[in-house]
Amino acid sequence: MPIMYNTGEWFKVRPDYYRKVELPTPNWPLDLELEYMILAAAPYGGPLAVTRDTTKLVPVKGSTRPMIRIFDTTGKETGHILWNHGKLIAMGWSDLEELICVQENATVFVFDMFGREKESYCIGDEASVTKIVEAKVFQSSTGTGVAVLTTSGRVFLKQNSTKAERQLPDIPNSSINCSCWDIVTEGRNSYCLLGRDREIIKLFPDEKLPTITANLFEKPHDRIIKISVSYNHQHLALYTNTGLLWMGSVDMRQKYCEFDTGRKDMPLQIEWVMNIDNSESDAVVISYPSYLLIVNRKADRSDYHYDPVLFLVAEMDGVRIITPTSHEMIQRLPKCVENIFAVNSQEPASYLFEAQKKFEEKSYKSDEYLSMCRDKMSLAVDECIEAASYEFCPETQKSLLRTAHFGKGFILNHNPDEYMRIMRILRVLNTLRHERIGIPLTFKQFTHLNPEVILSRLVYRKHYAVAIQVAKHLNLPESWILEHWAYDKVLNDSNDAEVARKITEKFKNPSVEGISFCNIATKAHQAGRDELATKLLELEPRTALRVPLLIKMRKFDRAVASATQSGDTELITQVLLEMKMHMMLSNLHMTIRDHPLALNMYKKIMRESNRAGLYGIYNTEDDQKAIAEYHFENAIETKSLESNLSPITNAYTQGRCLLEAELCTDYSRLLKLQKTFESKYNNIFSGLSVHDTILELLHLGQLNEAEKIRNGFKVPERRFWWLRILTLSEHQRWDELEKLAKSKKSPIGYDPFVDVCLKQHNATEARKYIQKCRDNRKVHWYIRANLLDDAIDCALEQKDIHSLCEIKKKEDVVNDGDLLRKVCNCIAALESRK
């Protein structure tokens, strides 16, 4: 059944259908006269730049200074550039929506879409000297490039602003002017095609000589005047002065058709219409003043009359037409749309669409149409969903999606993911196409750019609320959008308190994650608003991010407070080192004195790097104990302890460290005594402790002097006896040792006497002192002294069977029959008493 729906703007260029899609009409300012302007439009519904065409006579209105005005697709002016440079040769847009302007001396200026200059660079010295006559802005896989044609007939190209320029091979017979040229990109390489008379010259960077192709046309002509390369750089269109159009592959090996337009006037532009379904090019759009001609690869045509002024913008899936009163797009009709809405269509999707309409009308014919497509219901639903994505009219989109929803009810276990995805994207696309936003993207352009790029473009245009809603709708993170909104507030709102309040309110939502107040504070600092930056940093929970910016802002008091609060020693060290570099020591000391952890770490740093500075800290704090320790360490290192003991003692005394002061006094007295001993006994005492000094005197036999040291330095009697026992045994003065043992009761017992005798292998002397030892130790010492007979008697006397058993195991007892019998008898006697 014939279906007439949304087909009013369709036209046929046999064998294919094309359509004109009406986009929001730009509301141009009254003072903008496009017929006298040059227009450069960015693809993907991007901004437009217009400036006066210097080749046309224009009645002067207002200032005569050249100006470039920038608009969005709705005609709203977003910025302007007062051109203060040389002669402007060409304009174009980068893939980042940056306006690229090329002037006569081969200098390239880059502006953003608001007219702010971002950077400038030169194509090359030779191009700058010889001047340029034409320039092209082109896209490549490495970025947006610029190619220039100089007055000397040479072509230079620069792939992007960071790469060096490349000179293409010289044009043969360069004295003959070229009539047209264009840039072709293949992968990472770009080359130039020039039209001169009836031949095409190919200039490739890596080739020394150019390639010349002639006799492409069958019909007679004088010269080629227009070259147009398709959006995907796969197809080529040539136009002659006699109105002939040649279409073929970009390498010119395949010819699609040769068409006589029948027009002798110069075309304004030639652009290829890309195929939506397979990314190929099937037709070209040729614009003349007040006239538009569409020619396809089959040499069929369709034409339209237009306003006198029109501009063509090549897109990846069509060609946009901009006039003073309209904004349209010519597209190859998607096959799915044609299947549904074409006259007499017998495709399943067409029947399903009609069935849904009849169902809404409550007509029985709905079942008849369903029966015609029930076997291919899945295909019909998929085509309806796909067709909805290509439509611009919201009502048409709704009708197609309702049809898909109706049809999927007849499919068992239908997966709704694609249906939901397309519906979400269409909501976003309709929002972008609204005149308030002015980004008329197609579905194919949206999927090519990806949602992240779309969001970044919305944010750049300051449509923050829309960007956040789009991010939520597509389940994408929104925190970075809020950060950009905060950046804008920081740069444009002068009230610090109000900005901080608004940012806090926006970011307090727990669903917003990944927000960095530090990044916003950095922007505030860069804008010279340190007070606002400080307020924002107070909201940053991560100390590791907060402290570096505080240091950069020279807010050292806040930085050291934050660092010590975190307990991160590396962070504290970083703050202290920065403070040390940028602050006077007195101010630094005053700043960190209220932060004990930072103060202690600073002392550690100074102790390792600058001990003199450390002394200054101690003086500032009046820390007498630390001053004494400082002098003590210095004295140890310089080996001048004796001369520094007096100030060390005084410092300890002032610091009320009485024990340390007393120790210093005692050590000073010890040093004096040691000097006396050295001169008297011609021996080295210097550096010895009290213990070692006494030991050395005892070795020298100076008991009286040792006694004086013991009494003077209050050495415990137990230690003194130990030292005397050791020295007497080492010198084997057994009589004096025995006299010492009998002099009075030993304060350390008599075990040490036995031990030193045994160490000197004198068991006879050891027997004298074993008798004086405690009962529970006698058997042990007898065994140690190998006095086994005495050990047996002592164990028997103490009724110690365990010791007797141990003695029995001794090798000497086993080998001695008498001792073995004695032990056995003693053990038997003790066991019988139990």
Side-chain angles (χ1 to χ4, degrees):
M1 182 176 179
I3 299 176
M4 296 296 294
Y5 194 87
N6 200 33
T7 59
E9 294 298 328
W10 291 14
F11 61 92
K12 195 164 189 177
V13 186
R14 287 185 300 268
D16 303 314
Y17 277 102
Y18 290 79
R19 69 176 178 180
K20 286 199 300 179
V21 179
E22 187 175 345
L23 303 175
T25 302
N27 185 19
W28 302 110
L30 296 176
D31 62 340
L32 186 70
E33 300 177 4
L34 285 179
E35 61 267 29
Y36 302 116
M37 296 291 176
I38 298 172
L39 183 144
Y44 303 104
L48 305 92
V50 296
T51 188
R52 187 172 68 84
D53 188 349
T54 57
T55 63
K56 297 179 181 179
L57 296 176
V58 183
V60 177
K61 297 179 182 179
S63 174
T64 58
R65 293 178 64 186
M67 179 185 290
I68 301 173
R69 302 175 70 178
I70 303 173
F71 300 88
D72 62 16
T73 56
T74 64
K76 177 184 176 182
E77 188 168 356
T78 61
H80 63 272
I81 303 166
L82 293 175
W83 191 255
N84 297 320
H85 308 290
K87 182 181 177 181
L88 181 64
I89 299 297
M91 297 187 303
W93 291 91
S94 73
D95 51 2
L96 299 176
E97 294 190 323
E98 298 169 331
L99 180 61
I100 297 177
C101 300
V102 187
Q103 69 175 16
E104 188 179 28
N105 65 355
T107 302
V108 179
F109 293 90
V110 181
F111 302 88
D112 64 16
M113 64 179 295
F114 302 106
R116 297 186 291 258
E117 184 175 339
K118 297 183 70 175
E119 65 172 329
S120 63
Y121 57 90
C122 186
I123 298 297
D125 294 337
E126 184 175 345
S128 176
V129 172
T130 57
K131 306 298 182 183
I132 63 174
V133 292
E134 288 188 61
K136 302 279 185 182
V137 178
F138 62 93
Q139 304 297 331
S140 69
S141 60
T142 58
T144 302
V146 177
V148 297
L149 177 64
T150 67
T151 54
S152 61
R154 290 186 172 181
V155 177
F156 296 85
L157 62 82
K158 196 176 179 71
Q159 293 287 118
N160 55 53
S161 61
T162 60
K163 291 196 173 183
E165 69 278 357
R166 304 177 72 180
Q167 178 183 343
L168 302 185
D170 293 340
I171 304 171
N173 299 323
S174 58
S175 59
I176 305 175
N177 292 331
C178 295
S179 54
C180 54
W181 65 299
D182 208 346
I183 301 297
V184 181
T185 298
E186 290 182 352
R188 301 180 66 85
N189 294 316
S190 300
Y191 61 91
C192 178
L193 294 178
L194 298 100
R196 187 176 65 181
D197 293 340
R198 292 184 293 273
E199 60 189 17
I200 297 295
I201 303 172
K202 177 182 176 182
L203 304 178
F204 200 84
D206 295 334
E207 296 178 359
K208 295 183 179 179
L209 297 175
T211 303
I212 300 176
T213 305
N215 302 320
L216 291 172
F217 290 84
E218 296 177 359
K219 297 179 181 180
H221 64 282
D222 295 328
R223 64 184 181 279
I224 299 170
I225 60 174
K226 278 285 185 182
I227 293 179
S228 176
V229 179
S230 65
Y231 192 90
N232 62 355
H233 294 261
Q234 299 296 316
H235 311 282
L236 181 68
L238 307 175
Y239 194 91
T240 70
N241 65 317
T242 58
L244 293 177
L245 174 68
W246 183 93
M247 298 169 65
S249 61
V250 75
D251 58 5
M252 294 169 283
R253 295 177 182 177
Q254 182 182 1
K255 177 180 176 181
Y256 304 151
C257 72
E258 185 176 322
F259 180 79
D260 188 354
T261 63
R263 298 184 65 93
K264 305 301 180 185
D265 51 341
M266 179 78 168
L268 300 175
Q269 287 177 266
I270 302 176
E271 299 293 349
W272 285 84
V273 181
M274 304 297 294
N275 192 325
I276 292 178
D277 297 321
N278 55 24
S279 298
E280 289 298 324
S281 299
D282 291 328
V284 294
V285 180
I286 308 173
S287 65
Y288 304 88
S290 305
Y291 184 73
L292 195 72
L293 178 64
I294 299 100
V295 181
N296 71 356
R297 296 168 62 164
K298 304 296 183 182
D300 195 29
R301 65 180 289 170
S302 182
D303 52 11
Y304 290 90
H305 290 279
Y306 265 87
D307 292 337
V309 181
L310 69 159
F311 301 93
L312 303 182
V313 183
E315 298 281 359
M316 67 179 298
D317 54 352
V319 174
R320 280 194 291 142
I321 306 167
I322 300 173
T323 74
T325 58
S326 66
H327 187 193
E328 298 173 331
M329 175 180 278
I330 293 180
Q331 284 185 321
R332 167 79 180 273
L333 186 67
K335 190 63 178 175
C336 56
V337 176
E338 182 181 346
N339 290 344
I340 297 171
F341 297 125
V343 177
N344 293 327
S345 173
Q346 297 182 3
E347 297 293 329
S350 178
Y351 289 126
L352 178 61
F353 186 81
E354 191 64 23
Q356 194 275 336
K357 283 176 58 181
K358 294 301 179 183
F359 179 78
E360 287 186 346
E361 295 171 4
K362 300 183 180 180
S363 171
Y364 69 91
K365 291 185 178 181
S366 175
D367 189 59
E368 294 180 9
Y369 287 114
L370 281 174
S371 65
M372 297 178 186
C373 63
R374 199 179 298 274
D375 295 339
K376 297 182 179 179
M377 186 61 70
S378 181
L379 174 62
V381 170
D382 290 343
E383 281 199 340
C384 287
I385 295 173
E386 184 183 3
S389 69
Y390 291 126
E391 289 298 325
F392 278 73
C393 175
E395 291 302 321
T396 307
Q397 296 169 1
K398 291 177 183 178
S399 297
L400 290 166
L401 289 174
R402 277 197 298 268
T403 301
H405 186 270
F406 174 74
K408 66 188 181 70
F410 299 96
I411 303 173
L412 185 64
N413 298 326
H414 181 267
N415 188 346
D417 290 349
E418 182 65 11
Y419 176 84
M420 297 301 297
R421 186 181 76 89
I422 294 298
M423 190 163 60
R424 286 179 179 275
I425 292 176
L426 283 176
R427 287 174 180 166
V428 174
L429 287 174
N430 291 336
T431 301
L432 296 175
R433 293 165 184 165
H434 193 275
E435 61 182 11
R436 191 166 62 88
I437 306 299
I439 307 178
L441 287 177
T442 65
F443 175 78
K444 190 169 184 179
Q445 292 170 4
F446 180 89
T447 53
H448 175 74
L449 288 178
N450 75 53
E452 287 77 11
V453 174
I454 303 300
L455 286 175
S456 65
R457 293 190 174 188
L458 284 171
V459 168
Y460 194 63
R461 289 165 169 80
K462 299 184 181 180
H463 296 303
Y464 299 112
V466 175
I468 289 173
Q469 293 304 317
V470 169
K472 288 180 178 178
H473 193 65
L474 298 177
N475 298 320
L476 296 173
E478 59 185 275
S479 57
W480 68 274
I481 302 173
L482 284 172
E483 279 196 18
H484 278 273
W485 168 82
Y487 296 162
D488 183 66
K489 286 293 179 186
V490 165
L491 296 175
N492 298 305
D493 194 333
S494 58
N495 190 329
D496 290 353
E498 188 67 15
V499 171
R501 184 187 65 79
K502 289 179 179 178
I503 292 175
T504 305
E505 284 185 358
K506 284 288 184 184
F507 292 174
K508 69 181 179 182
N509 187 348
S511 65
V512 178
E513 298 179 354
I515 291 295
S516 174
F517 288 96
C518 185
N519 292 343
I520 307 169
T522 301
K523 288 287 183 181
H525 172 62
Q526 291 171 356
R529 303 179 65 180
D530 285 356
E531 288 302 319
L532 175 59
T534 304
K535 290 181 179 180
L536 292 172
L537 283 177
E538 291 175 356
L539 304 172
E540 175 59 59
R542 291 164 291 186
T543 309
L545 298 179
R546 184 167 67 241
V547 170
L549 184 57
L550 287 171
I551 293 173
K552 190 175 181 180
M553 294 164 57
R554 300 292 186 265
K555 302 287 185 180
F556 292 117
D557 53 342
R558 293 178 180 270
V560 72
S562 296
T564 51
Q565 187 177 5
S566 71
D568 188 338
T569 55
E570 291 186 4
L571 203 58
I572 297 171
T573 303
Q574 180 185 352
V575 176
L576 292 174
L577 293 176
E578 289 289 336
M579 293 174 70
K580 187 171 176 286
M581 289 174 59
H582 298 97
M583 293 181 70
M584 295 179 62
L585 286 179
S586 58
N587 294 337
L588 188 152
H589 299 161
M590 293 298 293
T591 303
I592 65 175
R593 66 185 302 175
D594 296 329
H595 306 284
L597 179 58
L599 181 61
N600 291 334
M601 290 195 63
Y602 182 72
K603 290 176 181 178
K604 181 180 179 182
I605 293 171
M606 296 301 288
R607 184 176 293 110
E608 295 173 355
S609 61
N610 184 5
R611 191 169 289 171
L614 188 64
Y615 182 74
I617 297 174
Y618 295 151
N619 265 335
T620 303
E621 297 177 345
D622 194 26
D623 188 347
Q624 294 297 326
K625 179 182 178 182
I627 291 174
E629 292 171 352
Y630 168 81
H631 287 310
F632 193 85
E633 289 179 6
N634 276 350
I636 293 295
E637 289 183 1
T638 57
K639 298 180 180 180
S640 57
L641 181 59
E642 186 176 357
S643 60
N644 285 280
L645 277 175
S646 179
I648 292 172
T649 305
N650 293 335
Y652 274 130
T653 303
Q654 293 178 23
R656 298 183 180 180
C657 301
L658 301 181
L659 177 61
E660 288 84 349
E662 184 179 354
L663 289 173
C664 289
T665 303
D666 289 345
Y667 189 62
S668 178
R669 190 155 46 89
L670 177 63
L671 288 176
K672 292 178 181 178
L673 288 172
Q674 286 176 341
K675 281 190 174 182
T676 304
F677 295 149
E678 284 183 355
S679 60
K680 186 174 182 180
Y681 302 114
N682 195 23
N683 205 343
I684 298 175
F685 286 86
S686 193
L688 297 181
S689 64
V690 173
H691 175 98
D692 292 336
T693 302
I694 293 174
L695 189 61
E696 188 66 24
L697 289 171
L698 290 174
H699 279 303
L700 293 174
Q702 302 299 323
L703 179 60
N704 292 333
E705 298 288 358
E707 288 277 1
K708 289 180 182 178
I709 296 291
R710 180 181 75 85
N711 294 328
F713 291 96
K714 300 177 182 179
V715 176
E717 187 179 18
R718 289 172 58 84
R719 176 180 295 185
F720 188 72
W721 270 66
W722 257 112
L723 293 176
R724 288 203 62 190
I725 291 170
L726 288 173
T727 53
L728 291 174
S729 65
E730 288 177 6
H731 293 279
Q732 297 189 1
R733 299 173 182 171
W734 306 117
D735 294 339
E736 294 183 21
L737 183 63
E738 186 177 358
K739 188 185 296 183
L740 176 64
K742 292 179 178 179
S743 62
K744 66 176 183 177
K745 186 178 179 180
S746 171
I748 58 175
Y750 294 93
D751 291 68
F753 288 82
V754 180
D755 187 47
V756 295
C757 292
L758 293 179
K759 286 181 179 179
Q760 298 297 326
H761 308 291
N762 193 337
T764 303
E765 288 294 325
R767 180 185 274 118
K768 298 177 182 179
Y769 308 109
I770 293 175
Q771 298 296 330
K772 296 183 179 183
C773 292
R774 299 190 305 274
D775 289 342
N776 60 349
R777 297 288 294 169
K778 289 180 180 178
V779 176
H780 167 75
W781 288 119
Y782 279 129
I783 295 173
R784 281 277 308 274
N786 205 26
L787 300 173
L788 299 178
D789 195 24
D790 294 335
I792 294 170
D793 293 338
C794 184
L796 179 62
E797 181 182 348
Q798 296 179 6
K799 302 178 182 180
D800 188 355
I801 296 178
H802 176 74
S803 296
L804 287 171
C805 293
E806 290 297 321
I807 296 170
K808 182 181 177 182
K809 297 176 184 177
K810 292 287 184 181
E811 185 179 354
D812 292 344
V813 174
V814 172
N815 296 329
D816 190 332
D818 295 337
L819 285 177
L820 182 60
R821 282 192 298 273
K822 184 176 180 180
V823 170
C824 292
N825 293 334
C826 291
I827 293 173
L830 291 176
E831 288 180 346
S832 65
R833 296 177 187 177
K834 289 183 180 180

